[in-house]
Amino acid sequence: MGTGLSIFREEGDKTHIAWGMEGLAGVAYLKREFANAHEFHIESLKHKIEVMDKLGMAYSFEGLAQVAAAEEEPERAAVLWGAGHYLRESMNTPLEPSRQDLYTSLIPRTREQIGEMLFNEAWKKGEAMRLEDAIQYALQGYSG
């Protein structure tokens, strides 16, 4: 891990640790190291929970969804994207176009894999989850 992240760990700066881990997750995802990407997203999410960073949680849900989709877990991916989308909508904070490749680019492929109806049902399930339930769902159930 980089020296910046080490300093944040020494200082106990959970917000910056969370975003540092988010960055490492993105790099691992791009390198197709999906198990590492998942682990970094999980660690990031845990820190975001501690500081109640809801926008950060939306990124974590979406990042975990993208990894789930890459790992052929389309229903899980759709649920997580739905949960992330709901959080973003509740804060009126859309995903920046520059980040779509890392967080949502597999939505069309995933929708095609499981069909419009099942994809929409899973997405709506994620949107309907209470935050606590979405967090629990994100933290468990990874099969990669």
Side-chain angles (χ1 to χ4, degrees), residues 40-106:
F40 290 138
H41 276 303
I42 291 294
E43 185 174 345
S44 176
L45 177 58
K46 288 177 179 178
H47 289 293
K48 291 169 185 170
I49 292 164
E50 287 187 48
V51 297
M52 280 309 293
D53 177 355
K54 288 184 180 180
L55 179 59
M57 288 181 217
Y59 277 106
S60 291
F61 294 159
E62 293 159 343
L64 287 165
Q66 192 82 347
V67 170
E71 292 278 283
E72 304 300 327
E73 294 185 73
E75 286 181 61
R76 179 171 175 74
V79 169
L80 289 166
W81 276 316
H85 181 258
Y86 176 78
L87 261 181
R88 285 187 179 285
E89 289 282 306
S90 71
M91 295 179 288
N92 196 27
T93 310
L95 181 65
E96 304 87 24
S98 65
R99 294 185 180 223
Q100 288 178 345
D101 280 353
L102 276 179
Y103 295 94
T104 60
S105 66
L106 296 180

Side-chain angles (χ1 to χ4, degrees), residues 5 13-23 43-44 47-48:
L5 193 51
D13 184 339
K14 293 182 186 308
T15 298
H16 284 97
I17 294 168
W19 287 101
M21 298 310 296
E22 185 82 21
E43 185 174 345
S44 176
H47 289 293
K48 291 169 185 170

